[in-house]
Amino acid sequence: MLSDIGLTALRWNRAMTSKTLDGEPRNAASTTSTVYVAATLSIVAALCLPWAGRAQSSRAACDKTDTQFAVTAALPDNADALRKYERNVSGLSGDVSTVLLGDSLVEAWPRELAASLGAGPVANLGVGRDRIQNTLWFIEHERERLRTIKPRSIIVLVGTNNIYLDKPCGVMESYKKLFGEIRSLWPNGKIFSIQILPRGDQMKGAAENIGSVNAELSRRSRELGIRTIDASDIACGRTTPCANYKSDLLHLTPSGYEALTRIAREGMGSS
């Protein structure tokens, strides 16, 4: 019988050969390779991967290295993301009123619903699999073209791909850097940060860390120059299955986006 570590490694390996943390497909390995990697990971997980299968403790303090990693802009891990960045900025028009920034949850936001989030054209700049550091890279490397627009509202939904990899204090450092860059880029725009959404079976996936980060975002919102939007009501009372979530319990269904759009509009309207 496999140990708890071995089981964790097997689950982690299955996830890595099928989907990323935000559900994007990965290339599948052969059966032989999968078994070999799973067996190897049962050892490696105990030594090198404290985050495998679970998030790091929300109470763990950040050291200098954690902070450096959190605030360093990072190139995305695939060329398709770069192509999406290019596509997104090449389609910008000067009359954009609202910008959406984030990961696959933003990228998949239905166009007709996203259009209702602004008084004028809405630019969806979301890219699947992005961590906060990747969004930072996008802003830093496309700064000149992004300066050509003057959005009145910037909606940010990113961080779910950080929550299993980084300490909550590190996620907060990433957010702090990101909001500062957005404010520098568009000083007259209002920044709305949708809090990290619940995820996983019974919405318990990294729930402690998600709760810790979201609470800290709300507490420090004035300092960070943002307004937070709590959209956790879409999570069906934190029970699963949930009609607002796809079977991966991370991505949203059409009804989920309808609920998210309504909550976002209410949150923006009360600012």
Side-chain angles (χ1 to χ4, degrees), residues 9-31:
L10 279 169
R11 295 190 188 104
W12 183 85
N13 183 63
R14 291 191 189 105
M16 291 301 290
T17 56
S18 58
K19 295 181 179 180
T20 64
L21 290 174
D22 76 351
E24 294 293 319
R26 292 184 184 271
N27 294 328
S30 68
T31 302

Side-chain angles (χ1 to χ4, degrees), residues 144-256:
E144 291 309 308
R145 287 198 281 185
L146 291 171
R147 284 188 191 280
T148 63
I149 61 174
K150 310 293 181 185
R152 293 189 289 275
S153 301
I154 303 95
I155 301 172
V156 179
L157 176 53
V158 68
T160 196
N161 293 325
N162 291 78
I163 207 67
Y164 277 99
L165 298 174
D166 304 329
K167 297 174 183 176
C169 52
V171 179
M172 283 303 306
E173 289 296 329
S174 295
Y175 275 130
K176 183 178 178 180
K177 179 68 178 291
L178 176 62
F179 297 141
E181 291 295 325
I182 294 173
R183 197 162 50 249
S184 173
L185 180 62
W186 297 309
N188 296 320
K190 293 183 179 180
I191 304 172
F192 300 91
S193 178
I194 299 176
Q195 295 178 355
I196 299 174
L197 301 179
R199 58 182 292 175
D201 185 42
Q202 302 304 316
M203 301 300 165
K204 292 180 179 179
E208 181 183 359
N209 284 7
I210 291 174
S212 174
V213 170
N214 287 344
E216 189 70 358
L217 273 176
S218 293
R219 188 183 71 81
R220 297 176 59 185
S221 59
R222 184 182 297 274
E223 168 197 339
L224 296 170
I226 65 172
R227 183 177 183 87
T228 59
I229 297 175
D230 180 357
S232 60
D233 281 352
I234 72 170
C236 302
R238 298 185 183 271
T239 60
T240 56
C242 173
N244 292 332
Y245 282 74
K246 293 184 177 181
S247 59
D248 62 7
L249 297 177
L250 170 62
H251 293 95
L252 303 180
T253 60
S255 66

Side-chain angles (χ1 to χ4, degrees), residues 69-104:
F69 181 78
V71 301
T72 300
L75 187 75
D77 65 0
N78 65 96
D80 283 343
L82 291 177
R83 294 186 184 98
K84 290 177 182 178
Y85 290 162
E86 173 62 28
R87 177 202 67 199
N88 287 342
V89 294
S90 64
L92 289 176
S93 61
D95 57 348
V96 167
S97 70
T98 301
V99 165
L100 304 180
L101 284 172
D103 50 39
S104 61

